[in-house]
Amino acid sequence: MKSSISTGSGADAPADRRKRARLIVLLACGWAAFVALLFLWQAVSYRGLIVFLAEQQFNLFGRYYPLLSYLILTLLFGSPIFFFVRGRLWEPEAVASHATAAVNLLMGLRRFMRAMFIAAALCVLGAAVAALSMLTLPDMSGPVQTVDVAAQPLEVHEGATLLRGNIVYMRTAALTEDLWTARRETRFAPVVADASGRTIRYFVELRQDEMVVAGRPLETRRGILRRDGLPGELRQLFRYAGYIVPEPHYVLYASEGSLRWGRTVVASNLAIAALFFVLLGLWQLFVLHRTTRRLDGDAPASA
Protein backbone atom coordinates (compact mmCIF):
# COMPACT_ATOMS: atom_id res chain seq x y z
CA MET A 1 0.00 0.00 0.00
CA LYS A 2 1.27 3.41 -0.93
CA SER A 3 0.44 6.53 0.88
CA SER A 4 1.26 10.08 -0.03
CA ILE A 5 1.14 13.30 1.87
CA SER A 6 -0.24 16.23 -0.09
CA THR A 7 1.58 19.52 0.33
CA GLY A 8 -0.91 21.31 -1.85
CA SER A 9 -1.81 24.91 -1.34
CA GLY A 10 -5.49 24.59 -0.64
CA ALA A 11 -5.24 27.22 2.07
CA ASP A 12 -3.44 29.52 -0.34
CA ALA A 13 -6.02 29.14 -3.12
CA PRO A 14 -8.13 32.15 -2.08
CA ALA A 15 -4.99 34.30 -1.80
CA ASP A 16 -3.84 33.12 -5.23
CA ARG A 17 -7.23 33.96 -6.70
CA ARG A 18 -7.09 37.42 -5.16
CA LYS A 19 -3.63 38.02 -6.65
CA ARG A 20 -4.84 36.90 -10.08
CA ALA A 21 -7.90 39.12 -9.71
CA ARG A 22 -5.75 42.15 -8.86
CA LEU A 23 -3.50 41.45 -11.84
CA ILE A 24 -6.54 41.20 -14.11
CA VAL A 25 -7.84 44.48 -12.70
CA LEU A 26 -4.54 46.20 -13.50
CA LEU A 27 -4.40 44.75 -17.02
CA ALA A 28 -8.03 45.63 -17.74
CA CYS A 29 -7.63 49.19 -16.44
CA GLY A 30 -4.39 49.58 -18.37
CA TRP A 31 -6.10 48.47 -21.57
CA ALA A 32 -9.04 50.80 -20.95
CA ALA A 33 -6.67 53.73 -20.31
CA PHE A 34 -4.75 52.93 -23.51
CA VAL A 35 -7.99 52.83 -25.52
CA ALA A 36 -9.19 56.11 -23.97
CA LEU A 37 -5.93 57.91 -24.78
CA LEU A 38 -5.73 56.42 -28.27
CA PHE A 39 -9.19 57.64 -29.26
CA LEU A 40 -8.58 60.98 -27.55
CA TRP A 41 -5.54 61.45 -29.79
CA GLN A 42 -7.62 60.46 -32.81
CA ALA A 43 -10.39 62.88 -31.82
CA VAL A 44 -7.99 65.79 -31.34
CA SER A 45 -5.99 65.09 -34.53
CA TYR A 46 -9.03 63.86 -36.52
CA ARG A 47 -7.60 60.50 -37.55
CA GLY A 48 -8.47 56.83 -37.66
CA LEU A 49 -11.89 55.52 -36.71
CA ILE A 50 -12.97 58.97 -35.54
CA VAL A 51 -12.87 60.12 -39.17
CA PHE A 52 -15.10 57.24 -40.25
CA LEU A 53 -17.68 58.01 -37.56
CA ALA A 54 -17.53 61.74 -38.31
CA GLU A 55 -18.17 61.22 -42.02
CA GLN A 56 -21.13 58.97 -41.29
CA GLN A 57 -22.57 61.64 -38.97
CA PHE A 58 -22.04 64.36 -41.58
CA ASN A 59 -23.89 62.22 -44.13
CA LEU A 60 -26.78 61.37 -41.79
CA PHE A 61 -27.17 64.47 -39.60
CA GLY A 62 -25.21 67.20 -41.37
CA ARG A 63 -22.91 67.64 -38.35
CA TYR A 64 -20.37 65.81 -36.24
CA TYR A 65 -20.62 64.98 -32.52
CA PRO A 66 -17.01 64.49 -31.32
CA LEU A 67 -17.77 63.67 -27.69
CA LEU A 68 -20.39 61.08 -28.62
CA SER A 69 -18.02 59.51 -31.15
CA TYR A 70 -15.22 59.38 -28.57
CA LEU A 71 -17.40 57.77 -25.91
CA ILE A 72 -18.84 55.20 -28.34
CA LEU A 73 -15.40 54.06 -29.52
CA THR A 74 -13.93 54.05 -26.00
CA LEU A 75 -16.78 52.00 -24.57
CA LEU A 76 -16.89 49.70 -27.61
CA PHE A 77 -13.18 48.82 -27.46
CA GLY A 78 -12.48 49.37 -23.77
CA SER A 79 -15.39 47.71 -21.99
CA PRO A 80 -15.44 44.15 -23.50
CA ILE A 81 -12.34 43.14 -21.55
CA PHE A 82 -14.17 43.84 -18.28
CA PHE A 83 -16.98 41.52 -19.30
CA PHE A 84 -14.55 38.91 -20.60
CA VAL A 85 -12.78 38.66 -17.25
CA ARG A 86 -15.78 39.46 -15.08
CA GLY A 87 -15.72 36.02 -13.45
CA ARG A 88 -12.41 36.79 -11.74
CA LEU A 89 -12.40 40.55 -11.83
CA TRP A 90 -14.99 41.47 -9.28
CA GLU A 91 -15.84 38.62 -6.94
CA PRO A 92 -13.55 35.59 -7.44
CA GLU A 93 -14.62 33.78 -4.29
CA ALA A 94 -18.30 34.36 -4.92
CA VAL A 95 -18.08 33.21 -8.51
CA ALA A 96 -16.16 30.10 -7.50
CA SER A 97 -18.97 29.12 -5.19
CA HIS A 98 -22.58 28.34 -6.03
CA ALA A 99 -23.86 31.93 -5.97
CA THR A 100 -27.45 32.51 -5.02
CA ALA A 101 -29.81 34.77 -6.94
CA ALA A 102 -29.34 37.47 -4.31
CA VAL A 103 -25.55 37.31 -4.62
CA ASN A 104 -25.80 37.50 -8.42
CA LEU A 105 -28.02 40.55 -8.13
CA LEU A 106 -25.57 42.33 -5.83
CA MET A 107 -22.65 41.39 -8.06
CA GLY A 108 -24.41 42.86 -11.06
CA LEU A 109 -25.07 46.11 -9.22
CA ARG A 110 -21.44 46.32 -8.12
CA ARG A 111 -20.19 45.69 -11.66
CA PHE A 112 -22.32 48.43 -13.12
CA MET A 113 -21.34 50.85 -10.35
CA ARG A 114 -17.63 50.17 -10.83
CA ALA A 115 -17.97 50.44 -14.61
CA MET A 116 -19.46 53.92 -14.17
CA PHE A 117 -16.63 55.03 -11.89
CA ILE A 118 -14.04 53.58 -14.28
CA ALA A 119 -15.68 55.45 -17.19
CA ALA A 120 -15.60 58.64 -15.09
CA ALA A 121 -11.91 58.11 -14.31
CA LEU A 122 -11.11 57.61 -18.00
CA CYS A 123 -12.97 60.81 -18.89
CA VAL A 124 -11.07 62.72 -16.20
CA LEU A 125 -7.81 61.30 -17.57
CA GLY A 126 -8.75 62.38 -21.08
CA ALA A 127 -9.76 65.85 -19.91
CA ALA A 128 -6.46 66.25 -18.06
CA VAL A 129 -4.47 65.21 -21.13
CA ALA A 130 -6.43 67.63 -23.34
CA ALA A 131 -5.93 70.46 -20.83
CA LEU A 132 -2.21 69.79 -20.41
CA SER A 133 -1.75 69.62 -24.18
CA MET A 134 -2.66 73.31 -24.36
CA LEU A 135 0.69 74.04 -22.73
CA THR A 136 2.40 72.80 -25.90
CA LEU A 137 0.57 75.25 -28.17
CA PRO A 138 2.44 78.33 -29.50
CA ASP A 139 1.67 81.83 -28.27
CA MET A 140 2.42 85.47 -29.09
CA SER A 141 5.65 85.61 -27.12
CA GLY A 142 9.01 85.79 -28.83
CA PRO A 143 10.15 87.47 -32.04
CA VAL A 144 7.61 88.03 -34.81
CA GLN A 145 8.40 86.30 -38.10
CA THR A 146 7.19 87.60 -41.46
CA VAL A 147 5.89 85.05 -43.95
CA ASP A 148 5.17 86.11 -47.54
CA VAL A 149 3.10 83.39 -49.20
CA ALA A 150 4.23 84.43 -52.68
CA ALA A 151 7.88 83.96 -51.72
CA GLN A 152 7.24 80.32 -50.75
CA PRO A 153 9.51 80.44 -47.67
CA LEU A 154 11.44 77.30 -46.84
CA GLU A 155 11.75 77.92 -43.11
CA VAL A 156 8.51 78.59 -41.22
CA HIS A 157 8.05 78.11 -37.49
CA GLU A 158 5.12 78.33 -35.12
CA GLY A 159 4.43 81.42 -33.06
CA ALA A 160 3.89 85.15 -33.55
CA THR A 161 3.70 85.85 -37.27
CA LEU A 162 2.92 88.51 -39.87
CA LEU A 163 1.35 86.62 -42.80
CA ARG A 164 1.13 88.35 -46.19
CA GLY A 165 -0.90 87.04 -49.12
CA ASN A 166 -4.20 87.03 -50.97
CA ILE A 167 -7.07 85.90 -48.73
CA VAL A 168 -9.61 83.92 -50.75
CA TYR A 169 -12.74 84.99 -48.87
CA MET A 170 -15.06 83.16 -51.24
CA ARG A 171 -13.53 79.86 -50.13
CA THR A 172 -14.19 80.48 -46.44
CA ALA A 173 -15.07 77.40 -44.39
CA ALA A 174 -16.76 77.54 -41.00
CA LEU A 175 -16.55 75.14 -38.08
CA THR A 176 -19.07 75.24 -35.25
CA GLU A 177 -17.87 73.72 -31.97
CA ASP A 178 -20.14 73.19 -28.99
CA LEU A 179 -19.54 73.07 -25.31
CA TRP A 180 -22.72 71.98 -23.60
CA THR A 181 -22.78 75.49 -22.13
CA ALA A 182 -21.29 77.52 -25.02
CA ARG A 183 -21.15 77.59 -28.81
CA ARG A 184 -18.52 79.08 -31.11
CA GLU A 185 -18.21 79.35 -34.87
CA THR A 186 -14.72 79.74 -36.32
CA ARG A 187 -14.13 80.66 -39.95
CA PHE A 188 -10.99 79.95 -41.94
CA ALA A 189 -10.03 81.27 -45.38
CA PRO A 190 -7.15 80.20 -47.65
CA VAL A 191 -4.19 82.54 -48.11
CA VAL A 192 -2.56 82.10 -51.51
CA ALA A 193 -0.23 83.77 -53.97
CA ASP A 194 -2.40 82.82 -56.94
CA ALA A 195 -6.14 82.23 -56.49
CA SER A 196 -6.20 79.82 -59.44
CA GLY A 197 -3.97 77.28 -57.68
CA ARG A 198 -5.35 74.08 -56.16
CA THR A 199 -2.77 73.69 -53.40
CA ILE A 200 -3.45 75.58 -50.17
CA ARG A 201 -0.61 75.69 -47.65
CA TYR A 202 -1.73 78.69 -45.58
CA PHE A 203 -5.01 79.60 -43.90
CA VAL A 204 -6.11 82.51 -41.76
CA GLU A 205 -8.76 82.66 -39.06
CA LEU A 206 -11.26 85.41 -39.81
CA ARG A 207 -12.51 87.68 -37.08
CA GLN A 208 -16.01 87.07 -35.75
CA ASP A 209 -17.33 90.39 -37.09
CA GLU A 210 -15.48 90.24 -40.40
CA MET A 211 -17.56 90.31 -43.57
CA VAL A 212 -16.80 87.82 -46.31
CA VAL A 213 -16.33 89.81 -49.52
CA ALA A 214 -14.54 89.32 -52.82
CA GLY A 215 -11.91 91.42 -54.50
CA ARG A 216 -9.77 92.53 -51.56
CA PRO A 217 -6.14 93.35 -52.37
CA LEU A 218 -3.05 91.78 -50.85
CA GLU A 219 -3.28 91.76 -47.05
CA THR A 220 -1.01 91.35 -44.06
CA ARG A 221 -2.40 89.71 -40.93
CA ARG A 222 -0.83 89.31 -37.51
CA GLY A 223 -1.54 86.32 -35.29
CA ILE A 224 -0.22 82.97 -34.06
CA LEU A 225 0.95 80.54 -36.72
CA ARG A 226 0.14 76.90 -36.01
CA ARG A 227 1.62 74.00 -37.96
CA ASP A 228 -1.06 71.61 -39.29
CA GLY A 229 -3.58 73.65 -37.33
CA LEU A 230 -6.60 73.41 -39.61
CA PRO A 231 -9.33 71.29 -37.95
CA GLY A 232 -9.53 67.85 -39.50
CA GLU A 233 -13.17 68.30 -40.52
CA LEU A 234 -12.23 71.32 -42.62
CA ARG A 235 -9.20 69.58 -44.14
CA GLN A 236 -11.56 66.93 -45.44
CA LEU A 237 -13.99 69.60 -46.66
CA PHE A 238 -11.33 71.37 -48.75
CA ARG A 239 -10.08 68.07 -50.13
CA TYR A 240 -13.60 67.07 -51.14
CA ALA A 241 -13.85 70.40 -52.95
CA GLY A 242 -10.83 69.45 -55.07
CA TYR A 243 -8.08 71.32 -53.19
CA ILE A 244 -4.80 69.89 -51.94
CA VAL A 245 -4.01 70.60 -48.29
CA PRO A 246 -0.45 69.33 -47.83
CA GLU A 247 1.40 68.41 -44.68
CA PRO A 248 2.74 70.58 -43.31
CA HIS A 249 0.25 73.39 -43.75
CA TYR A 250 -0.11 76.46 -41.52
CA VAL A 251 -2.98 78.35 -39.92
CA LEU A 252 -2.74 81.91 -38.62
CA TYR A 253 -4.96 82.14 -35.54
CA ALA A 254 -6.21 85.54 -34.45
CA SER A 255 -5.57 85.01 -30.72
CA GLU A 256 -4.36 82.53 -28.13
CA GLY A 257 -7.96 81.98 -27.00
CA SER A 258 -9.14 80.87 -30.43
CA LEU A 259 -6.11 78.62 -30.83
CA ARG A 260 -6.93 76.86 -27.56
CA TRP A 261 -10.67 76.70 -28.07
CA GLY A 262 -10.67 73.26 -29.70
CA ARG A 263 -8.73 71.72 -26.81
CA THR A 264 -11.01 73.55 -24.37
CA VAL A 265 -14.04 71.97 -26.04
CA VAL A 266 -12.53 68.48 -25.71
CA ALA A 267 -11.45 68.94 -22.07
CA SER A 268 -14.75 70.54 -20.99
CA ASN A 269 -16.94 67.95 -22.68
CA LEU A 270 -14.94 65.12 -21.13
CA ALA A 271 -15.19 66.76 -17.70
CA ILE A 272 -18.96 67.03 -18.08
CA ALA A 273 -19.13 63.39 -19.20
CA ALA A 274 -17.07 62.40 -16.14
CA LEU A 275 -19.56 64.20 -13.88
CA PHE A 276 -22.41 62.34 -15.61
CA PHE A 277 -20.75 58.96 -15.01
CA VAL A 278 -19.98 59.85 -11.38
CA LEU A 279 -23.63 60.70 -10.78
CA LEU A 280 -24.67 57.39 -12.34
CA GLY A 281 -22.16 55.56 -10.16
CA LEU A 282 -23.37 57.30 -7.00
CA TRP A 283 -26.97 56.50 -7.88
CA GLN A 284 -25.99 52.88 -8.40
CA LEU A 285 -24.20 52.91 -5.04
CA PHE A 286 -27.41 54.13 -3.41
CA VAL A 287 -29.37 51.36 -5.16
CA LEU A 288 -26.78 48.80 -4.03
CA HIS A 289 -27.04 49.85 -0.38
CA ARG A 290 -30.82 49.90 -0.51
CA THR A 291 -30.93 46.46 -2.12
CA THR A 292 -28.45 45.08 0.41
CA ARG A 293 -30.56 46.33 3.34
CA ARG A 294 -33.68 44.88 1.77
CA LEU A 295 -32.06 41.47 1.26
CA ASP A 296 -30.71 41.50 4.83
CA GLY A 297 -34.20 42.28 6.11
CA ASP A 298 -35.74 39.48 4.06
CA ALA A 299 -33.15 36.90 5.22
CA PRO A 300 -34.64 34.30 7.64
CA ALA A 301 -33.36 34.42 11.21
CA SER A 302 -30.96 31.62 12.07
CA ALA A 303 -32.15 29.07 14.56
Side-chain angles (χ1 to χ4, degrees), residues 268-286:
S268 301
N269 280 339
L270 286 174
I272 294 172
L275 177 60
F276 173 75
F277 285 125
V278 167
L279 292 177
L280 280 179
L282 291 176
W283 169 253
Q284 194 70 7
L285 178 61
F286 168 75

Side-chain angles (χ1 to χ4, degrees), residues 1-289:
M1 176 183 295
K2 292 183 178 181
S3 62
S4 61
I5 300 176
S6 174
T7 59
S9 56
D12 296 333
D16 292 340
R17 286 199 297 270
R18 283 193 293 270
K19 290 180 181 178
R20 287 196 298 269
R22 284 194 291 268
L23 177 61
I24 291 172
V25 169
L26 292 176
L27 292 176
C29 290
W31 170 255
F34 168 76
V35 168
L37 292 176
L38 172 65
F39 288 122
L40 177 64
W41 171 73
Q42 291 190 3
V44 171
S45 61
Y46 200 72
R47 300 173 185 269
L49 290 176
I50 287 288
V51 176
F52 172 77
L53 278 185
E55 292 182 351
Q56 299 306 312
Q57 292 171 49
F58 280 129
N59 292 334
L60 293 175
F61 311 117
R63 61 173 302 175
Y64 162 49
Y65 300 90
L67 177 61
L68 179 62
S69 302
Y70 172 76
L71 291 177
I72 288 175
L73 289 175
T74 301
L75 292 174
L76 182 63
F77 287 88
S79 59
I81 190 170
F82 289 98
F83 292 98
F84 179 74
V85 300
R86 64 184 183 274
R88 296 180 179 178
L89 182 58
W90 306 117
E91 301 286 348
E93 290 86 355
V95 173
S97 65
H98 298 286
T100 64
V103 171
N104 287 332
L105 173 61
L106 295 178
M107 287 170 56
L109 293 175
R110 290 192 189 98
R111 288 178 190 142
F112 184 80
M113 178 190 69
R114 289 166 177 168
M116 292 301 98
F117 287 138
I118 289 173
L122 293 177
C123 287
V124 169
L125 177 63
V129 171
L132 290 174
S133 70
M134 288 191 282
L135 299 176
T136 66
L137 296 176
D139 54 32
M140 291 294 293
S141 63
V144 180
Q145 68 175 336
T146 299
V147 176
D148 190 335
V149 175
Q152 298 183 355
L154 296 178
E155 293 186 9
V156 179
H157 58 81
E158 295 183 320
T161 302
L162 288 173
L163 182 65
R164 181 176 176 82
N166 293 293
I167 301 178
V168 187
Y169 289 94
M170 301 312 294
R171 289 289 179 261
T172 297
L175 176 67
T176 300
E177 295 176 291
D178 287 323
L179 294 174
W180 289 354
T181 57
R183 179 183 178 92
R184 177 187 176 95
E185 182 181 84
T186 312
R187 297 179 298 160
F188 300 90
V191 183
V192 298
D194 181 4
S196 63
R198 308 304 293 178
T199 299
I200 306 175
R201 189 175 293 275
Y202 294 92
F203 298 84
V204 62
E205 179 196 2
L206 301 181
R207 296 184 297 271
Q208 294 294 320
D209 58 349
E210 189 169 356
M211 300 297 294
V212 177
V213 297
R216 287 192 182 180
L218 197 67
E219 295 187 49
T220 299
R221 293 290 183 98
R222 178 169 181 163
I224 305 172
L225 200 66
R226 170 69 169 158
R227 178 188 174 100
D228 295 332
L230 190 66
E233 301 92 326
L234 298 187
R235 289 201 304 268
Q236 293 294 103
L237 181 63
F238 278 105
R239 287 166 181 166
Y240 288 152
Y243 292 94
I244 300 172
V245 182
E247 292 188 5
H249 65 270
Y250 297 90
V251 179
L252 188 74
Y253 280 86
S255 67
E256 294 181 10
S258 59
L259 176 59
R260 295 172 179 171
W261 176 258
R263 306 290 176 89
T264 303
V265 169
V266 173
S268 301
N269 280 339
L270 286 174
I272 294 172
L275 177 60
F276 173 75
F277 285 125
V278 167
L279 292 177
L280 280 179
L282 291 176
W283 169 253
Q284 194 70 7
L285 178 61
F286 168 75
V287 172
L288 176 62
H289 286 168

